[in-house]
Amino acid sequence: MIELTITEDVADVVLTAPERLNALGPDDLEQLGGAYAEAERAGVRALVLRGEGRAFCAGRDISGVDPRDDDVLRYLHGRVEPVMRRIADFPAPTFAVAHGACLGVGLGLLIATDVVYVAESAKIGSPFKNLGATLDSGGHALFFERLGAHRTLDLIYSGRLMTGGEAVSLGLFSRVLPDGDVLQAARAAARQAASGPTEAFVASKRLIASLRDDRIGFWRSMSDENRAQAALCDTADYREGFAAFQQKRTPSFTGRS
């Protein structure tokens, strides 16, 4: 579930499914896009995105997904990418609070946000090797741009998760703060932005978006990710990874189709 509140020109968008670490299914993504659309109609001058509970967002909710008939391209291209574009194009400064698991689609939401304040407890990376899948939601483009090919592939091959401090030190996000301080800091930054020249801020936001897309072809890279993920759906390792995750056991991969 997604909640939206607006106070003094600042919108607060909250992922409210802590029992599943705010993992997102298709309905959740539709609600999330709707919350941003409503905030835009209200003319807010800044927005803060956060998650309740122990994590920001652990990624896609696959609890009820059958990998044998999973249309992952429809989920990623038809659901995730439009929401990320809406977040990236939001006509006001946006901020996110990252804590706990920030993985998969959750990482994508952070990538699409202007400024990300990261808690020390944050876990960021690519755990997809355990699913027989690949990093998605723009992760390849972000990691390659900031970390280079070798460190990106090291993270993907190992499945190691970075701490909040490590992610910020490597230039992935804005700043790292103690868990107890990060939400207050993000809200203060949003209020400050809302009181500033927001049209000028949005102009800068669009210029940065243009530079990023020209440099690494962000949305093209994301479309390539979507197709790669869809192709992996037909592999035995993908089906094994899904089954192992759902059954809470260690997967046994063969490396063969």
Side-chain angles (χ1 to χ4, degrees):
M1 296 291 292
I2 310 299
E3 291 184 357
L4 168 68
T5 58
I6 298 174
T7 306
E8 297 179 355
D9 289 334
V10 177
D12 196 38
V13 177
V14 188
L15 313 181
T16 61
E19 71 283 356
R20 49 186 162 98
L21 301 182
N22 297 313
L24 298 171
D27 291 344
D28 303 305
L29 287 164
E30 184 175 354
Q31 290 181 31
L32 183 58
Y36 275 77
E38 185 176 345
E40 181 175 346
R41 287 193 296 271
V44 302
R45 298 180 66 190
L47 181 149
V48 178
L49 173 65
R50 63 182 179 89
E52 285 189 347
R54 296 184 292 116
F56 169 67
C57 175
R60 182 187 182 190
D61 182 8
I62 65 169
S63 56
V65 174
D66 185 343
R68 293 170 298 184
D69 59 9
D70 180 24
D71 190 347
V72 71
L73 188 60
R74 181 178 181 182
Y75 175 79
L76 291 173
H77 181 68
R79 300 283 190 171
V80 175
E81 186 173 337
V83 170
M84 285 184 59
R85 286 181 180 271
R86 180 174 285 281
I87 293 172
D89 293 340
F90 191 77
T94 59
F95 299 79
V97 177
H99 75 289
C102 307
L103 307 170
V105 181
L107 176 62
L109 300 183
L110 300 180
I111 293 170
T113 301
D114 299 341
V115 177
V116 180
Y117 285 10
V118 183
E120 292 172 344
S121 70
K123 300 296 181 186
I124 297 163
S126 175
F128 288 89
K129 77 181 187 91
N130 297 321
L131 286 174
T134 190
L135 180 62
D136 57 35
S137 303
H140 285 91
L142 175 73
F143 286 0
F144 177 74
E145 180 190 30
R146 308 293 170 81
L147 309 180
H150 293 93
R151 282 189 291 187
T152 295
L153 291 173
D154 183 22
L155 285 171
I156 290 171
Y157 292 170
S158 68
R160 185 179 68 84
L161 301 181
M162 293 176 283
T163 65
E166 184 181 2
V168 170
S169 71
L170 291 170
L172 291 174
F173 297 116
S174 309
R175 64 182 72 179
V176 62
L177 293 159
D179 283 48
D181 299 338
V182 65
L183 176 57
Q184 182 179 354
R187 283 176 167 163
R191 287 194 297 269
Q192 183 180 47
S195 68
T198 48
E199 288 192 11
F201 292 158
V202 171
S204 290
K205 171 176 178 167
R206 289 171 177 161
L207 288 166
I208 293 297
S210 176
L211 288 169
R212 180 179 71 174
D213 201 43
D214 286 346
R215 180 176 176 185
I216 60 175
F218 181 83
W219 297 111
R220 188 199 68 216
S221 174
M222 190 169 171
S223 293
D224 291 343
E225 284 178 338
N226 295 344
R227 288 191 292 271
Q229 199 75 284
L232 288 167
C233 284
D234 292 330
T235 65
D237 280 348
Y238 188 88
R239 293 188 291 272
E240 165 63 10
F242 256 67
F245 180 86
Q246 292 168 335
Q247 296 165 15
K248 296 181 170 57
R249 61 173 174 82
T250 301
S252 177
F253 295 126
T254 66
R256 295 190 296 271
S257 297

